[in-house]
Amino acid sequence: MSFLSTMDIATSALTAQRFRMDMISQNIANIDTTRAQDGQPYQRRLTVFQEKALNFKTTLEREAYLRSNTRAGSGIQRNSRNNAVGGGVRVAEVIRDESDFVPVYNPSHPDANEDGYVMMPNVDRAEETIDLMAATHSYNANITTVNIIKAMAMKAAELTR
């Protein structure tokens, strides 16, 4: 696998995690929205990630590398795991959380029903905070990966001088 394909994988993860953080921020921003455009309370949004398929060029490079290095004593074993590695991650879709809205007693609220209850969004601040922390840690791990790849490329360039 080349430096650039490894960099592509890491940067795709950065993009996906940034999008996930955007969705979490949107959820937190709408935590008190009792009336969205459809007239219902805001529904929590979740991101669904999917493995990104390798492009044709990278697949050929990987196959050529495996063929040239799968010999006795090379240390590389050819197995199904080597061929199953994808080309990164992408956001497949954004789905709405179908859990129930939270009824809160507030008879003076304009959206209160005849019993005095307001249906609040199904967004939990603590859960969103934990999700945001996890996305941030993943984002930082991918930044570290990118920095390591850059350092390796720089070291390789120094060796060729």
Side-chain angles (χ1 to χ4, degrees):
M1 188 181 302
S2 70
F3 284 117
L4 292 180
S5 63
T6 306
M7 185 76 81
D8 287 343
I9 291 169
T11 55
S12 73
L14 286 171
T15 303
Q17 291 298 339
R18 183 191 48 78
F19 186 83
R20 179 180 172 202
M21 287 187 278
D22 289 346
M23 286 294 102
I24 293 168
S25 297
Q26 183 176 339
N27 289 340
I28 293 171
N30 286 291
I31 203 163
D32 293 321
T33 304
T34 59
R35 194 181 319 159
Q37 289 181 352
D38 61 359
Q40 295 292 319
Y42 176 83
Q43 277 186 298
R44 179 178 186 228
R45 285 157 177 80
L46 303 166
T47 53
V48 177
F49 290 166
Q50 181 180 38
E51 180 182 27
K52 194 163 83 172
L54 288 173
N55 62 30
F56 184 69
K57 180 181 179 231
T58 307
T59 304
L60 284 179
E61 287 173 355
R62 178 172 290 154
E63 188 62 29
Y65 174 78
L66 288 172
R67 285 183 188 268
S68 67
N69 291 298
T70 310
R71 295 190 193 100
S74 70
I76 295 177
Q77 298 295 319
R78 186 171 182 75
N79 59 32
S80 62
R81 186 167 183 246
N82 291 343
N83 294 328
V85 177
V89 66
R90 70 180 190 89
V91 176
E93 64 181 318
V94 176
I95 60 172
R96 291 177 185 247
D97 185 354
E98 295 297 327
S99 61
D100 294 333
F101 296 121
V102 180
V104 173
Y105 184 73
N106 186 356
S108 63
H109 194 282
D111 290 329
N113 63 16
E114 58 276 354
D115 297 327
Y117 285 94
V118 179
M119 299 309 280
M120 298 300 287
N122 55 356
V123 179
D124 179 18
R125 189 180 318 269
E127 189 174 357
E128 296 300 322
T129 302
I130 291 168
D131 285 350
L132 186 58
M133 289 170 56
T136 302
H137 287 302
S138 181
Y139 189 87
N140 288 334
N142 283 293
I143 286 176
T144 301
T145 302
V146 168
N147 288 335
I148 290 170
I149 294 166
K150 286 187 335 188
M152 289 171 59
M154 296 300 289
K155 194 56 132 172
E158 284 177 21
L159 292 175
T160 60
R161 286 189 214 164

